[in-house]
């Protein structure tokens, strides 16, 4: 017991002396990536979201395997999305997607994962709010270069989801 008390005292003395030596404080404006922002020159960026209507816009590749696809088109008149009013499904349900050229809703959205039930082509109740995962893309200059290079196991991985097929990989 005496040894534990001495060891604890030594550790406490070490911590207190380290705190006393490194008494430098850092201003909150010097932390993180803030550049030269001060209260005088903070301004909202002018963000130009795609103005292309649905069906006319250029699709984006996915950032990584099974990433939610980006929304490449204008959302005017399509939001807010509610359980009873979801304009996305009029083009993106699999039975309509081929005709409209839209990215089809994947099988994982038509499946109840909790109860392991195929919903036979009906959108799962938890998947109605599309903009929870899918985001609009904007033409902006990025402040920090992204060096990430995605690697896809499937040749179609940048354009198609296979989440339901691989969900249990590593578990089996």
């Amino acid at each position: 017991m005496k040894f534990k008390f001495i060891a604890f005292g030594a550790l406490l003395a070490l911590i207190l002396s380290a705190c006393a030596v490194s008494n430098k404080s850092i201003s909150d404006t010097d932390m993180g990536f803030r550049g030269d922002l001060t209260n005088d020159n903070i301004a909202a960026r002018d963000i130009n979201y795609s103005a292309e209507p649905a069906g006319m816009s250029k699709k984006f590749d996915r950032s990584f395997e099974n990433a939610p696809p980006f929304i490449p088109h204008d959302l005017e008149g399509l939001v807010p999305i509610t359980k009873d009013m979801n304009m996305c499904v009029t083009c993106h349900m699999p039975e309509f997607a081929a005709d409209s050229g839209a990215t089809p809703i994947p099988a994982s959205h038509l499946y109840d994962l909790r109860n392991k039930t195929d919903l036979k082509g009906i959108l799962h109740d938890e998947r109605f709010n599309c903009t929870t995962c899918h985001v609009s893309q904007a033409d902006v200059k990025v402040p920090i270069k992204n060096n990430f290079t995605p690697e896809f196991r499937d040749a179609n991985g940048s354009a198609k989801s296979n989440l339901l097929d691989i969900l249990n990989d590593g578990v089996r």
Side-chain angles (χ1 to χ4, degrees):
M1 181 70 176
K2 186 176 179 182
F3 177 73
K4 289 182 182 178
F5 183 70
I6 292 171
F8 179 72
L11 180 63
L12 184 61
L14 182 64
I15 291 171
L16 291 174
S17 63
C19 290
V21 170
S22 63
N23 195 7
K24 285 197 302 188
S25 64
I26 299 173
S27 162
D28 64 343
T29 57
D30 293 335
M31 285 191 227
F33 183 78
R34 291 184 58 136
D36 64 352
L37 294 178
T38 63
N39 289 336
D40 297 333
N41 65 0
I42 293 177
R45 291 185 179 168
D46 182 23
I47 297 176
N48 299 314
Y49 290 97
S50 175
E52 293 289 329
M56 304 287 287
S57 54
K58 176 189 169 290
K59 293 180 184 176
F60 297 92
D61 284 341
R62 294 173 192 242
S63 301
F64 52 89
E65 187 170 339
N66 290 309
F70 296 119
I71 301 171
H73 57 76
D74 186 23
L75 292 178
E76 185 72 33
L78 302 178
V79 289
I81 297 170
T82 66
K83 190 170 181 326
D84 297 323
M85 183 61 166
N86 183 342
M87 295 300 294
C88 303
V89 297
T90 60
C91 294
H92 292 279
M93 284 300 281
E95 61 268 22
F96 306 126
D99 294 336
S100 65
T103 301
I105 291 173
S108 60
H109 289 42
L110 311 173
Y111 190 87
D112 181 353
L113 294 170
R114 202 172 285 159
N115 297 311
K116 299 178 183 172
T117 307
D118 184 352
L119 301 176
K120 310 278 190 251
I122 296 172
L123 184 66
H124 189 277
D125 289 343
E126 295 175 353
R127 301 291 191 140
F128 79 90
N129 195 354
C130 308
T131 55
T132 300
C133 300
H134 304 276
V135 296
S136 296
Q137 290 303 282
D139 184 17
V140 296
K141 181 182 174 216
V142 293
I144 300 172
K145 184 178 183 250
N146 182 358
N147 294 322
F148 176 77
T149 304
E151 294 180 13
F152 299 98
R153 292 183 273 186
D154 187 321
N156 294 329
S158 66
K160 188 173 188 265
S161 173
N162 66 342
L163 182 62
L164 199 57
D165 299 331
I166 65 159
L167 191 61
N168 290 320
D169 278 7
V171 177
R172 293 183 194 141

